[in-house]
Amino acid sequence: LKANKTLAVLNLIDNQISDKGAMHISDAFKENETVTTLDLHDNQIGDKGAEFLYKALNDNKSLNYLYDVQCLLKFLDWVLF
């Protein structure tokens, strides 16, 4: 993902991704400028993983859509409260 120049949609639905996996995804997204859609439905991302993703994706200018209701609710909790 760090060196990717062509992938626009990344579908990681139901891949047993945990907080540690979310940390690795967030590291990659710090440098990725091509993925516009990330789908993380039905994974095991907890509060810590959501925090990693929030911090990385907050600065990412290419990502327009993040699909994961549970993760989004955690993001909103940090942003709004």
Side-chain angles (χ1 to χ4, degrees):
L1 267 176
K2 288 182 180 183
N4 170 60
K5 302 293 181 204
T6 57
L7 184 69
V9 177
L10 182 57
N11 179 343
L12 296 173
I13 296 172
D14 196 20
N15 276 284
Q16 306 291 323
I17 296 171
S18 64
D19 289 343
K20 186 175 180 179
M23 179 186 69
H24 292 294
I25 291 168
S26 66
D27 285 344
F29 268 95
K30 289 178 185 175
E31 299 177 31
N32 183 283
E33 297 177 354
T34 57
V35 174
T36 60
T37 304
L38 174 61
D39 195 338
L40 293 169
H41 275 97
D42 298 324
N43 282 289
Q44 299 171 351
I45 299 171
D47 289 344
K48 194 66 178 171
E51 183 178 355
F52 287 128
L53 289 169
Y54 172 77
K55 288 178 180 177
L57 301 179
N58 192 41
D59 295 328
N60 183 293
K61 304 300 182 223
S62 65
L63 191 68
N64 296 319
Y65 303 102
L66 171 62
Y67 297 104
D68 183 337
V69 174
Q70 293 170 341
C71 231
L72 285 172
L73 290 174
K74 291 170 188 168
F75 290 167
L76 288 174
D77 189 39
W78 285 312
V79 173
L80 298 176
F81 304 103

